[in-house]
Structure formats: structure tokens, C-alpha cells
Amino acid sequence: MASTPVAEVLEALNAQMNEVDAVIAQRLRSDVALINQISAYIIHAGGKRMRPKLVLMFANALGADSPASRELAAVVEFIHTATLLHDDVVDESALRRGKQTANALFGNAASVLVGDFLYSRAFQMMVSVNRMRVLEVLADATNVIAEGEVLQLMNMHDPDVAVDSYLRVIRYKTAKLFEASARLGAVLADAPQDLEDACAGYGRALGTAFQLIDDALDYEGTSESLGKNVGDDLREGKPTLPLLIAMERGTDEDRALIRHAIEHGEVERLQDIVQIVRRTGALEATREAARAEVAQAIQHLSSLPLSKWKESLLEFAAQSVERSS
């Protein structure tokens, strides 16, 4: 049976990601043993590697397959990993991807400092590509991500956060690196500005959809399937879309219970809150919001030339909203 274009792309992508892994292993090396230990632990803890894959897929779709694409794929993974290290310290998280977080194992101070090492190593790697536009894109992205972290901190324990404010945090904190990853593929191809912006638009919409599904799964999945503790968002006082919709649609008693839980980061009545979120249709509404983002992502691909890589990007977007972990 002949392989499909998407299967061919997956095979090529896996081979290229192996090359990215080799770059990561080489670039992680440090003379400081603890940096090697923590960096290796977090990098090899699993994950979907969606951001580096976006760099590669767009570079391939636009005819810019090159060693530079592997280097930049590793860069975005380093930036993402640094944000995870810092995130887990801020959120006091104990579990990620089914394993203990680095801060739980090695302590907060070591996690923050190794996160700083990964950020600075990523900037060394960017410089090695010797493209000013690459520096502009990634410097902008890291700055916006930091703003998103602060915005989220400001929203913590506030049940009156507007949906627009919640979405702004997602655009800054999560979607911005997806956007930058997709844009980098176009930059490597010297694509015209309108095409570069279309690639970035795909990444931004995909990243938003990805986070919306993550927020729904916090009230839908199990710790085993998610690789994190169910109810973590509530424990951290995060007013995510499922909760905001449940408060809008629920009874006065429902609203009071959810408000109190967000304000105090309480999970004693988590099962009651999960039932409210499900009963009000908040989970399906959140998934619908994610599907609307995916529709936008797919629309942005219309300006890309036809290829098996474009087909895979369409498939990539569609699959992102139907996942359960």
C-alpha cells in the first residue's frame, strides 16, 4: 500500500526532529554539572515538541529546509523549556508530563537559574544563524511572553476577569511562541511580508487553540492522561475559560462556589465544580472556541503553495483540538 503525503511528511519530520535532538544535546552541554543535569531532565521529559515542528514544517513548505532550520527549532524548544522552568516555580507545580517538575526535584533557585541559562543559550544560538530578522522575531517573542506571565499573575484569584483579558494572556504567554516558530520558517525562506504574516497568523491561532484545549482538559481528563494534576489551574487560582463560562451560565449557587474557589485557590469541592463546568456546557463551549481558532489557522494557510507539507499543516491544526492529553 502506497504511503500518503501526510505519512511521508511525518517520516521526513521525524528524521529532521532527530537532527534537532542532536543539536539540543550538543547545545545543552555546560561545564556546570547541575545545569547539565536539570537541562537534560526537563528537555527529555517528553512533550509534543509542537513549536520546533512548526519551524521545520513551514521551512519545508516554503523550500527552506536547511541546517539553520534545525538550529532555530532547537532555539524555540529552549525558550519554551525556560518558560516551563519559570512557570512551574511561579505556579508551585509538582507534576508536569507525568513526572516531577524540576523545581520539585532540584528546588526553585536551581530551576530559575537553569531557565536563565537556557534563555541565554538560545540567544547565543540565534546569533549564530546571523540573520537580523531572526533576532527581531525571537527578541520580540520572549519579551511578549514575559508580559504574558505578568498579566497572568495579575489575573490570579480574580473571578471577575473578562474573557478578553483571559484571551490576551493566552495570545501573549502561549500563542506568541507558536506564532514566532511559524514565522521563522518563512523568514528562513526569505518569504515576502504578507506570506510571513500568514504563517505567523497560523501559528498564533494554533497556539491559542492549543491552550484553550489545555484549559478544558484540566476539568475533563485524568492526572494519568494529562501528565499533571487535575484541578491544578483552580488550585493556582487561574480563572480559565471553562470557569468563566460556567459562572456566566450557572445558577447563583454555582457562581458563588466557583468564585470562592478561584479567590482562595481551593480544590476541596473540585468534583462539584467539575460537575458544574460539565452541566453548563462550558467544556464544549471551550472546545468550540478552540475549533474557531483552528478554522482561522487553516484560513491563513490559503496563501501557501500547494505541497504535502501544507497538507500536513492542515492535518496538524485539525488534530490539535481533538486531543485528550
Side-chain angles (χ1 to χ4, degrees), residues 159 234 247 255-266 273:
L234 188 61
M247 281 193 288
R255 257 190 302 281
L257 175 58
I258 295 172
R259 286 183 68 88
H260 184 271
I262 291 172
E263 287 171 347
H264 299 279
E266 288 182 2
I273 291 170

Side-chain angles (χ1 to χ4, degrees), residues 21-89:
D21 286 343
V23 172
I24 287 172
Q26 180 190 0
R27 296 295 200 174
L28 271 181
R29 290 187 196 126
S30 166
D31 293 334
V32 180
L34 185 60
I35 290 176
N36 289 329
Q37 190 179 359
I38 298 176
S39 298
Y41 179 82
I42 190 76
I43 285 282
H44 298 125
K48 299 173 182 65
R49 300 280 181 92
M50 291 182 74
R51 298 154 191 83
K53 285 176 182 174
L54 282 177
V55 177
L56 298 176
M57 290 174 84
F58 275 98
N60 279 284
L62 296 170
D65 178 27
S66 67
S69 68
R70 315 302 193 262
E71 193 81 5
L72 292 181
V75 165
V76 297
E77 187 65 12
F78 278 17
I79 292 171
H80 174 55
T81 304
T83 65
L84 295 187
L85 282 164
H86 290 168
D87 261 7
D88 287 341
V89 170

Side-chain angles (χ1 to χ4, degrees), residues 125-284:
M125 293 163 70
M126 287 176 222
V127 172
S128 74
V129 175
N130 200 26
R131 299 279 289 268
M132 181 56 72
R133 183 66 184 134
V134 165
L135 287 171
E136 287 174 351
V137 169
L138 288 168
D140 177 53
T142 51
N143 195 249
V144 169
I145 291 165
E147 288 181 322
E149 296 281 4
V150 176
L151 282 172
Q152 180 170 269
L153 194 63
M154 291 166 62
N155 289 350
M156 293 287 212
H157 302 291
D158 181 3
D160 296 314
V161 166
V163 170
D164 283 350
S165 297
Y166 157 81
L167 288 172
R168 185 182 176 204
V169 169
I170 288 181
R171 302 270 191 220
Y172 281 33
K173 185 173 176 287
T174 302
K176 189 64 183 180
L177 194 54
F178 278 79
E179 175 189 324
S181 300
R183 189 185 291 276
L184 287 172
V187 170
L188 289 173
D190 294 315
Q193 191 63 50
D194 59 341
L195 184 52
E196 182 188 309
D197 290 342
C199 296
Y202 172 96
R204 183 169 57 251
L206 181 70
T208 304
F210 184 82
Q211 186 60 54
L212 286 167
I213 295 298
D214 256 14
D215 291 347
L217 288 173
D218 203 54
Y219 299 94
E220 198 174 58
T222 64
S223 295
E224 290 73 26
S225 66
L226 292 179
K228 67 172 187 174
N229 295 315
V230 171
D232 267 355
D233 287 348
L234 188 61
R235 189 177 291 105
E236 294 156 14
K238 290 179 183 173
T240 56
L241 191 58
L243 295 181
L244 297 177
I245 293 171
M247 281 193 288
E248 181 187 311
R249 295 181 177 182
T251 64
D252 289 345
E253 186 182 346
D254 294 339
R255 257 190 302 281
L257 175 58
I258 295 172
R259 286 183 68 88
H260 184 271
I262 291 172
E263 287 171 347
H264 299 279
E266 288 182 2
V267 290
E268 283 78 7
R269 295 187 64 185
L270 176 61
Q271 287 311 311
D272 293 334
I273 291 170
V274 168
Q275 289 307 313
I276 294 167
V277 168
R278 291 176 179 172
R279 170 165 48 80
T280 55
L283 289 178
E284 185 52 33

Side-chain angles (χ1 to χ4, degrees), residues 76-114:
V76 297
E77 187 65 12
F78 278 17
I79 292 171
H80 174 55
T81 304
T83 65
L84 295 187
L85 282 164
H86 290 168
D87 261 7
D88 287 341
V89 170
V90 171
D91 296 340
E92 300 177 5
S93 299
L95 195 68
R96 181 181 288 279
R97 297 168 182 164
K99 295 176 69 175
Q100 278 188 289
T101 53
N103 51 298
L105 271 180
F106 304 103
N108 287 342
S111 289
V112 169
L113 294 172
V114 172

